[in-house]
Amino acid sequence: MTDTKNLSQLGKHVETPQSPEQAVLETVPFQRGDGPPAIVRFTCPEFTSLCPVTGQPDFAHIVIDYAPDKTLVESKSLKLFMTSFRNHGAFHEECTVMIGRRIVEATKPLWLRVGGYWFPRGGIPIDVFWQTGAPPKDVWLPDTGVAPYRGRG
């Protein structure tokens, strides 16, 4: 059984962090085993942040794929981190890249990619992609499942 006694958020009432910088991404140990690495996917279809100019909400469908090495990101801490962007004013590109970099910093994965599929602002959807390099050899990497913009639905 995975040791979770060092986690400060799982199984506890925790307030949403006021900013992504204040959010704590926690990890749990992971044993990869033999063969190709596993790919772990997190999908956040209702991601929100704030426009840094107008303060109006921006909406995105975020897809995170990563190949963990020795640690996994604990999902409740990830949810709190993602939710903390609701009060954060930043451009789409900054939000998307920040998500990827923070997960890499916390977990030190073999590989990570994040896709930010942003809904239109001023009539133009903005899609932002970031990854740490080429995916590991022999992994099964499914399509993100997010269609090019045509109403995203």
Side-chain angles (χ1 to χ4, degrees):
M1 181 176 250
T2 302
D3 181 8
T4 60
K5 66 180 171 234
N6 293 328
L7 298 175
S8 64
Q9 301 171 96
L10 185 63
K12 299 173 179 81
H13 175 75
V14 179
E15 296 295 325
T16 300
Q18 291 300 302
S19 71
E21 295 82 11
Q22 291 177 356
V24 176
L25 280 173
E26 297 187 317
T27 62
V28 294
F30 177 68
Q31 292 187 356
R32 279 193 329 119
D34 296 331
I39 297 295
V40 177
R41 172 170 288 170
F42 290 103
T43 304
C44 185
E46 298 177 348
F47 181 86
T48 59
S49 66
L50 298 176
C51 172
V53 176
T54 66
Q56 294 295 308
D58 287 322
F59 302 92
H61 185 147
I62 306 287
V63 179
I64 302 159
D65 290 319
Y66 77 108
D69 188 15
K70 295 182 172 128
T71 59
L72 300 168
V73 66
E74 191 281 312
S75 63
K76 180 175 182 180
S77 74
L78 180 66
K79 291 172 195 170
L80 289 165
F81 170 63
M82 299 296 277
T83 302
S84 73
F85 280 87
R86 289 183 179 164
N87 300 316
H88 182 70
F91 290 113
H92 302 334
E93 297 84 352
E94 181 184 349
C95 290
T96 305
V97 172
M98 179 190 287
I99 291 165
R101 287 187 172 149
R102 283 289 305 277
I103 296 169
V104 166
E105 179 185 336
T107 65
K108 297 173 185 41
L110 300 171
W111 174 82
L112 177 138
R113 77 173 176 189
V114 58
Y117 301 87
W118 294 83
F119 288 81
R121 178 194 289 168
I124 300 173
I126 299 173
D127 294 340
V128 182
F129 307 99
W130 185 83
Q131 68 181 31
T132 59
K137 186 177 186 298
D138 296 330
V139 298
W140 176 54
L141 197 56
D143 181 82
T144 62
V146 181
Y149 189 78
R150 289 186 60 96
R152 294 267 195 254

